[in-house]
Amino acid sequence: MVQHEGVFADSKTLVDCVPVADPAEIDERFGQRDFDLERFVRNHFLLPEDPITGTDPSTVSMEWYIDELWEYLIRDPVETREGETILELPHRSVIPGGRFREIYYWDSYFAAEGLAVTGRLDLIEELAANFASLIERFGFVPNGGRVYYTSRSNPPLYHRLLDLLAHRRGPEAVLEYLPALEREYEFWMDGVGIKAGDSHRRTVGFKGGVLNRYWDDDPSPRVESYREDRELAAFADREPERLYRDVRAACESGWDFSSRWFAGEGIESIRTTELVPVDLNAFLYGMEYSLAGWHEHTGDGARAEKYRKRAIARRGLVDRYCWDDEAGFYFDHVWTERERSDAWTLAAAVPLFTGMASQTQADGVARTLEERFLRPGGLVTTLTESGEQWDTPNGWAPLQWMAVVGLAGYGHEELATEIGGRWLDLNRSVFEETGQMLEKYDVTGGTGEGLGGEYPLQYGFGWTNGVALALPNLFY
C-alpha cells in the first residue's frame, strides 16, 4: 500500500527502512488502518539517511575531496537486525553513496582500483573476503547487499578484484579465494551441457558450446521499484512475468536501463533475456583465464587446461555471433532471432579490457570509438538518445575505465589518454562548479550532470571516485 500510494518519491526508501518495534506488532497495528499512512511509517520505522554532502570547491581539490569522502563510503561490518533488509557482512565494505546505502558487486571493483592507488589494500582484502562470504551463503555474489537483490548477480568482476589484490600483494594473497571464484563460475555456467537453441537460466546453447546471458530467478516486480514495475506492466501489452524477468535481468547487467535491451523504442519492449551480451561473455572469458592462471600457479595443470579450453571456445563463439567484420565492432547477439543486435554500445570495449579481442578486432573497435563514441567529456554509452540513463548523452566511470585500459593494452595509448583526459577534465569541471562527484555525467556538453533514469541523479560516488584516482596512475 505504501508503494502504491507513492508515500516516498523513491520506492527504495521504504524497503531500506528499519522497524523500531517488533515487525509482528507493526503488522498488527497496520491492520487497524485508521491513520495517515506516511505518519504511520515514520512513527514505526527509521528512515534511511544519506550523510554525504558536497563541499566548497574553492577551498579543496577534487582529489582531496575524494580521499576525505572514503570516510563516508566505508561501512563497518554489518549485523542484520530483525525486519531489516540489509545483508550481514563480516568485514568492512564500500558503498556507492546516495540511495545506494549498501555494498554493490561491480561497483566495488571500480572503487577498489582507486583504493589501491591510495594504499588501502587492507580494505580491498576485506572486500574480497566479503564476496567469498556471500558466495558461501548464496552460491554467487548478489547484485547488492540487500535481501531483495539475492535472486540476481551483477557483471562478474570478482576475478578482477582478486587480480588487483594479487598484483599488489602477490598470488598467495588470493589463493584462499580460489574455491569461491570457482563456485561463482559454476553459478554462471549452470546448464553448461544444454543443446544448441536451448537456454537454461544464464546459459544459452550454441553449436560448439554455450554463451551466457543475464537473468533473474524471480519473475515478479522488483521490491525496490515495486510501483514502477507494476505501472510498467499495466502499460505494456505483454505477459507480466516475462516483462518483470527482463527488467530484473537488465538490473543484473548493471545497465538499468538502456535502449540496448529494447526491441522497440521504449522500456515496455525490453528483452534482456533474449540477448547474449558481448560484455558478459568477455567478463566470463576473463574469469576463465584467471582460473586457468591460478590453477597453473598451484600446479593443477589439468584444471588450468580445462578453463583455458573453455575460454578459447567462448572466444570462438563470440567471434562468430557477436563480431561484425564489416563494421569492425562487437554487437550483442539476439539468440531468439539468430541475428546480431543493431545497437551500437560501449559494451564492445569490454573484450579489449579482458584481452579477448584480436589485434585486428581491437583496431576496429578503437576506430569506431574515436569516430562515433568520443565526445567532449569522454565516451558516450550508446548512440541512442532514449531518456534512459545508460544511453546518450551519459557517460559512466566504469565504461571509461574499461575502454581506456583495453585500448592501452592493445597499443592505442594516444586514444586511451585522450579519453581518460577528457573524462577527468569533465569530473573536475563539474566538481569545481558543484562540489560533488556524480554517479553519471553528460559527456556531450552543457552542465555535465547526467540525465535520465528512474531515480534522481546520485552523489558520492564510489566508482566515479575510484576511477578518478586510478586513471592518472594508469599512465603516470
Side-chain angles (χ1 to χ4, degrees), residues 181-354:
L181 185 61
E182 286 199 286
R183 189 173 177 193
E184 183 192 28
Y185 180 75
E186 290 167 3
F187 161 80
W188 285 97
M189 298 304 291
D190 182 24
V192 68
I194 59 174
K195 64 181 182 181
D198 286 350
S199 63
H200 176 73
R201 298 182 75 199
R202 291 162 179 83
T203 53
V204 179
F206 291 89
K207 185 177 180 181
V210 301
L211 290 174
N212 289 81
R213 63 175 176 177
Y214 289 113
W215 181 257
D216 190 305
D217 294 319
D218 184 355
S220 65
R222 290 170 294 159
V223 174
E224 74 281 11
S225 300
Y226 184 81
R227 182 181 70 252
E228 291 85 349
D229 286 359
R230 290 296 299 269
E231 289 175 353
L232 176 61
F235 169 74
D237 183 22
R238 53 184 292 195
E239 180 188 345
E241 285 196 355
R242 288 191 62 187
L243 175 66
Y244 295 144
R245 181 148 6 234
D246 283 322
V247 165
R248 284 170 166 268
C251 294
E252 182 169 82
S253 79
W255 289 50
D256 45 335
F257 295 100
S258 171
S259 61
R260 172 188 184 185
W261 310 122
F262 302 168
E265 293 186 1
I267 193 172
E268 67 276 6
S269 68
I270 193 167
R271 57 172 181 177
T272 318
T273 59
E274 297 181 27
L275 299 179
V276 168
V278 64
D279 50 356
L280 171 59
N281 284 282
F283 290 137
L284 289 168
Y285 172 90
M287 187 190 296
E288 287 160 343
Y289 259 107
S290 287
L291 284 166
W294 283 321
H295 280 301
E296 195 75 58
H297 179 79
T298 64
D300 193 338
R303 277 194 177 180
E305 184 63 17
K306 180 188 80 169
Y307 287 114
R308 207 171 286 117
K309 286 181 177 178
R310 290 269 185 95
I312 292 169
R314 185 183 299 278
R315 177 177 176 169
L317 290 172
V318 169
D319 285 350
R320 184 184 308 172
Y321 294 105
C322 298
W323 174 254
D324 187 319
D325 198 47
E326 185 176 345
F329 207 65
Y330 289 99
F331 297 86
D332 298 330
H333 178 75
V334 188
W335 69 271
T336 53
E337 298 179 9
R338 300 183 180 181
E339 64 183 23
R340 281 190 291 271
S341 166
D342 60 2
W344 295 73
T345 83
L346 203 46
V350 179
L352 281 65
F353 176 66
T354 64

Side-chain angles (χ1 to χ4, degrees), residues 108-117 120-121 124-125 127 157-170 173-174 290 294 401 470 473:
S108 296
Y109 159 68
F110 298 103
E113 288 285 0
L115 292 169
V117 172
R120 292 178 168 90
L121 298 184
I124 299 174
E125 290 175 333
L127 291 173
L157 284 166
Y158 188 30
H159 68 286
R160 293 293 296 210
L161 184 76
L162 297 179
D163 283 341
L164 175 62
L165 192 56
H167 178 70
R168 302 278 180 151
R169 294 281 204 213
V174 302
S290 287
W294 283 321
W401 172 255
N473 190 68

Side-chain angles (χ1 to χ4, degrees), residues 410-426:
Y410 282 88
H412 294 278
E413 291 93 347
E414 185 175 349
L415 177 58
T417 304
E418 181 67 24
I419 293 166
R422 292 190 188 191
W423 176 255
L424 288 173
D425 287 346
L426 176 59

Side-chain angles (χ1 to χ4, degrees), residues 42-43 57 64 98 114 143 148 190 192 202 220 227 243 249 259 275 282 293 359 367-368 372 381 390 416 431 443 447:
R42 293 184 181 277
N43 287 343
W64 183 93
N143 181 169
Y148 50 75
D190 182 24
V192 68
R202 291 162 179 83
S220 65
R227 182 181 70 252
L243 175 66
S259 61
L275 299 179
Q359 186 63 52
R367 281 192 300 272
T368 301
R372 305 192 67 173
T381 305
W390 288 83
F431 173 78
V443 298
T447 66

